[in-house]
Amino acid sequence: MATRVLVCLLVAFILIGDSLAVTLSSKLIHRFSDEAKAFRVSRNGEPPGSWPRWRSMEYYQLLASSDLQLQKMKLGPQYQLLFPSEGSKTMSFGNDFGWLHYMWIDIGTPNISFLVALDTGSDLLWVPCDCIQCAPLSAGYYNSLDRDLSEYRPSESSTSKHVNCSHELCELGPNCKSLKQPCPYIVNYYSENTSSSGLLVEDILYLASSNDHTSKNLVHAPVIIGCGRKQSGGYLDGVAPDGLLGLGLGDISVPSFLAKAGLIRNSFSMCFNEDDSGRIFFGDQGFATQQSTPFLPLDGKYITYMVGVQSCCIGNSCLKQTSFQAQIDSGTSFTFLPDEVYKKVTAEFERQVNSTRLSTKGFLWDYCYEASSERLLSIPSVVLMFAPNNSFVVRNPTFLFYDNQGVSRFCLAIQRAEGNFGIIGQNFMMGYRIVFDRENLKLGWSRSNCQDLSDGKAMPLTPPAHDRPENPLPTNEQQSTPTGRAVAPAVAGRAPSKPSSASPLLSAPHFLRMRLLPLLLLICLFLSAI
Ligand SMILES: *[C@@H]1O[C@H](CO)[C@@H](O)[C@H](O)[C@H]1NC(C)=O
Ligand SMILES: *[C@@H]1O[C@H](CO)[C@@H](O)[C@H](O)[C@H]1NC(C)=O
Ligand SMILES: *[C@@H]1O[C@H](CO)[C@@H](O)[C@H](O)[C@H]1NC(C)=O
Ligand SMILES: *[C@@H]1O[C@H](CO)[C@@H](O)[C@H](O)[C@H]1NC(C)=O
Ligand SMILES: *[C@@H]1O[C@H](CO)[C@@H](O)[C@H](O)[C@H]1NC(C)=O
């Protein structure tokens, strides 16, 4: 779900009142459009041309160099890692919350906790707030929760501040009737009809740092938060009921605020473990020896975490003409490949796998097989090759279904994308410390068990033995394991596992609805080209 967003703003003023009401389809304002730029200039009195092109390479270099200045001023000799005040731990609840990864954050004074979904595919942090239409928040409604979810009320937080329409991060500013009024936002995600809208506010996000092992320092970071008054689609239906943390490249994202304030290096890492736990660290640039690949600009702009896959390898066979660009999106449950690549990859997988294919008409995935424990040994590996010569061995290319005897069937957990771009979703990120190095504009990765990096020890420059980068080509050992670790049993327990007479894989989990609408991405690209 959860991709582009503030990049493609559909201008629709639900909250601002009738005079501003614009029909949903009447207008698309891109935040880098001339219109938005003109507004920015007139508002801030910036002469046109005094800044590098928004999100051009120069823009990011300028940003990085000013970040570095700040860091030199404020940071000690040792770079600090920040994590939410409730801890660096992230968690996933499987099908319950759409297979995304979540963490607790504290906001406001007095502070309130929110269980937010982690989304590298969007920028804004929003939480349910002064609700008109929000997901149910009581614990009883969900299987996995032991406490009620909260609703944010800016009027009850002594540190909350209005963000008015003249704020430089108010993207809908050009449509406001008056610059004094609170800034509205609306974010549309790829999943059909999925959106969040409301007003922007500024408040404190509490983070912790641990430079030395004796104490944890609390860091008060002012950030912009979407007061999400009205959610729709997937957000009313089990995905991100308590808000979403956008981790994208946009200036409004939490990592951008933290880096701009000089609190961290402009980078963060996420690690998702196979047991549903994980870690997030702001400021983490990873190991010097990790593998990496540059982020790719779209029309000269760094809008999303886009990377270039050179080829896909199944087993020991690297397929010709399987290069594509893909967005690294933790907010997408399962990976999508562009059609041509999808066909080649699935055909080769089908050729190498020694199991009986199941009919999966109408199911999320097309390539599903009967499994028995010994056959699991022979699931072909899936490896993505990145420039320059770096390999990414997908730990869990399949999704396992369990019955009383153990794994009963498995599916290649890849879907067909309708556009030219792929999306590398959370399932492919599993088992790696993935570094979103925004300062150097590259993605880094190293094998990891998601250990705690905040224990005060100086960060090592090279990985311990088990964290070493992968060999460029897959080995037998790296192929899927027979132990069923591809999906932890606890997760699989929540997976649809009961066969039905009509179809062996009939149950439709939440994520079925989390399909992307590639059209929107095309609109973004189109708009950013003008
Ligand atoms: C949040 O509030 C509680 C009590 O109201 C306090 O004990 C705790 O330290 C606060 N947490 C943060 C991060 O300020
Ligand atoms: C908008 O908010 C800023 C900061 O809070 C304030 O300085 C400014 O005067 C406000 N602008 C208008 C037009 O109210
Ligand atoms: C999206 O909303 C439209 C209009 O309300 C509706 O017709 C359509 O069925 C919805 N799509 C989904 C997938 O819910
Ligand atoms: C499938 O079976 C054939 C013949 O039994 C064997 O040569 C091949 O290695 C098997 N494939 C895998 C991926 O194990
Ligand atoms: C990639 O690796 C191959 C084989 O190891 C080598 O021949 C080639 O020069 C490498 N390419 C780059 C760009 O490093």
Side-chain angles (χ1 to χ4, degrees), residues 7-9 28-33 36 301 303 524 527-528:
V7 173
C8 290
L9 282 173
L28 277 162
I29 288 202
H30 186 269
R31 76 160 118 174
F32 308 121
S33 66
K301 292 168 198 143
I303 290 171
C524 291
L527 280 171
S528 60

Side-chain angles (χ1 to χ4, degrees), residues 384-404:
L384 303 178
M385 298 298 298
F386 287 97
N389 265 0
N390 281 323
S391 70
F392 184 95
V393 179
V394 179
R395 308 305 299 176
N396 304 315
T398 57
F399 185 92
L400 307 184
F401 295 80
Y402 289 76
D403 63 14
N404 298 339

Side-chain angles (χ1 to χ4, degrees), residues 18 32 74 88 125 174 192 235 240 249 259 269 322 324 445 527:
D18 42 351
F32 308 121
K74 293 193 188 172
S88 61
L125 162 63
E192 262 185 293
Y235 295 147
L249 281 164
S269 71
T322 50
F324 63 100
W445 64 92
L527 280 171

Side-chain angles (χ1 to χ4, degrees), residues 191-234:
S191 309
E192 262 185 293
N193 295 352
T194 294
S195 68
S196 168
S197 59
L199 302 170
L200 296 184
V201 292
E202 190 193 300
D203 209 335
I204 302 294
L205 170 69
Y206 297 93
L207 299 161
S209 76
S210 54
N211 278 339
D212 61 60
H213 31 120
T214 49
S215 64
K216 269 190 187 154
N217 304 317
L218 205 58
V219 174
H220 296 206
V223 295
I224 286 184
I225 300 163
C227 169
R229 305 197 63 196
K230 200 167 176 183
Q231 276 64 247
S232 67

